[in-house]
Amino acid sequence: RLSFTYYPNYKEVNEYLTYLTQTYKNIASLITIGNSYEGRSMKVLKLSTGGANKPAIFIDAGIHAREWIAPATALYMVDLMLQSHRDLLSKVDWYVLPVLNPDGYEYTHSSSANRLWRKTRSKTSSTCRGVDGNRNYDMQWMTIGASNNPCSDTYAGPKPFSEVENQHLRDFILARKGQIKAYLTFHSYGQYILYPWGWTSNVPANEPELRNLASQCAQAIAKSRRTRYTYGTSANALYPAAGGSDDWALGKADIKLSFTYELPGGNSGFLLPASEIKPVGIETFEALKVTHQYVTSKY
Ligand code: 0X9
Ligand code: ZN
């Protein structure tokens, strides 16, 4: 059980996932997708009330190590679904990978000097470690907004999908390609709802649909706690950057509804106090409800 009053370390995240499978035996199960570079087991939580051919929504968080509010929010929304919003489980299956970069996440938890570490922890050069997971996807890799310098925080890696954690996510999603209708990836900070593309200022064919859904999600969040989100394509609303998981989800996995959430940082950025986990979780859950509603009406 997690109280959501502090940021859990990776062990606590996994203990919570196991607790959920024991407490909600008929709904929650775990799928181990492989090990991280340093050997940490990576688990996707599946929430399903059974029945075949249901559409699914996939959520990940924590590809960037220091963005602690992202895994916490993903887990708190799971808590809300299981405790009080079971209706979200009747027509849709959910897959949640709360920490996509466990090695980096543990690094920010165990060493206070590196609380602001962003990348993975793979050994990529004699002097520097880590790859920016969100520049490492095989979608216009290294074409813009990414670095080939292993010491840079936006190092794209020696090749697309060099990072084993991203390989696991890729294989998991591709194995469920037809089923997964929406891909949501949680980051911080800045209060943005972003959608493809990040690699070009041109917009994808289904931009009107993405814009419309992002707008509805932003409105639902604003109604909940007056938190103002900006929405738009990554390249136009934030900055151009290629090799992101959101662009890959749309461009290569053909998941039409692909969104990056930049959660709030308040006045503290990545160091957002843990007292914000519940309020951020509650308001972000409003966007999840809207997305769920859209998926059930369309599929
Ligand atoms: O730069 C990123 O990876 C994301 N922002 S963050 O501050 N959390 O690092 C934004 C990614 C948006 N998506 C793409 N550029 N594809
Ligand atoms: Zn991020």
Side-chain angles (χ1 to χ4, degrees):
R1 186 96 188 82
L2 276 179
S3 65
F4 299 103
T5 54
Y6 64 96
Y7 290 109
N9 63 27
Y10 193 61
K11 181 166 167 272
E12 290 166 327
V13 168
N14 278 333
E15 284 167 0
Y16 177 62
L17 295 179
T18 302
Y19 156 84
L20 290 178
T21 62
Q22 289 163 353
T23 311
Y24 305 98
K25 280 195 178 60
N26 300 324
I27 300 175
S29 58
L30 290 178
I31 304 161
T32 301
I33 61 171
N35 284 350
S36 68
Y37 180 83
E38 291 177 348
R40 295 183 174 86
S41 173
M42 295 172 64
K43 294 169 176 38
V44 171
L45 178 71
K46 179 179 184 181
L47 303 179
S48 175
T49 52
N53 302 320
K54 284 184 184 172
I57 298 176
F58 181 95
I59 295 174
D60 70 46
I63 191 172
H64 289 144
R66 62 194 175 194
E67 300 168 3
W68 285 7
I69 188 63
T73 299
L75 290 173
Y76 190 59
M77 293 194 298
V78 164
D79 190 84
L80 288 172
M81 280 196 263
L82 288 168
Q83 301 256 5
S84 48
H85 292 83
R86 291 288 180 86
D87 51 308
L88 294 194
L89 304 175
S90 63
K91 291 180 182 157
V92 166
D93 286 350
W94 297 80
Y95 296 111
V96 182
L97 176 57
V99 184
L100 173 47
N101 172 13
D103 300 346
Y105 189 72
E106 266 315 90
Y107 192 63
T108 59
H109 269 268
S110 49
S111 155
S112 56
N114 291 287
R115 170 65 183 83
L116 293 180
W117 187 259
R118 165 179 169 96
K119 300 187 286 178
T120 62
R121 292 293 299 158
S122 59
K123 205 157 168 34
T124 51
S125 83
S126 51
T127 43
C128 290
R129 273 179 177 256
V131 167
D132 182 346
N134 214 31
R135 300 291 180 279
N136 188 239
Y137 284 74
D138 184 17
M139 184 67 196
Q140 296 287 322
W141 181 78
M142 266 299 289
T143 55
I144 194 166
S147 173
N148 58 8
N149 175 359
C151 299
S152 163
D153 243 0
T154 53
Y155 177 45
K159 58 179 187 213
F161 282 117
S162 60
E163 300 313 282
V164 69
E165 298 83 4
N166 289 343
Q167 294 170 17
H168 296 328
L169 178 137
R170 173 196 64 196
D171 296 345
F172 180 89
I173 287 184
L174 290 181
R176 292 160 184 80
K177 215 167 147 282
Q179 196 204 356
I180 297 173
K181 305 302 184 192
Y183 170 80
L184 308 178
T185 180
F186 285 92
H187 287 250
S188 76
Y189 59 90
Q191 294 170 209
Y192 291 93
I193 301 175
L194 303 168
Y195 46 83
W197 306 110
W199 64 273
T200 172
S201 54
N202 294 339
V203 302
N206 67 332
E207 192 268 349
E209 175 183 44
L210 292 167
R211 178 169 18 98
N212 180 44
L213 181 49
S215 149
Q216 287 182 45
C217 288
Q219 268 181 53
I221 295 173
K223 214 176 151 196
S224 170
R225 203 178 50 138
R226 298 199 304 274
T227 305
R228 311 303 294 192
Y229 269 76
T230 305
Y231 55 88
T233 74
S234 297
N236 295 326
L238 190 61
Y239 45 66
S245 67
D246 49 1
D247 282 5
W248 175 83
L250 175 62
K252 296 293 175 83
D254 201 30
I255 300 170
K256 297 284 185 247
L257 307 172
S258 174
F259 295 94
T260 294
Y261 279 77
E262 295 283 358
L263 297 172
N267 298 320
S268 335
F270 302 117
L271 307 181
L272 188 71
S275 56
E276 283 298 305
I277 296 172
K278 285 186 187 178
V280 168
I282 288 166
E283 68 181 17
T284 313
F285 193 66
E286 294 302 315
L288 207 61
K289 284 188 201 164
V290 169
T291 306
H292 165 268
Q293 173 58 36
Y294 187 81
V295 166
T296 55
S297 66
K298 184 176 171 189
Y299 295 100

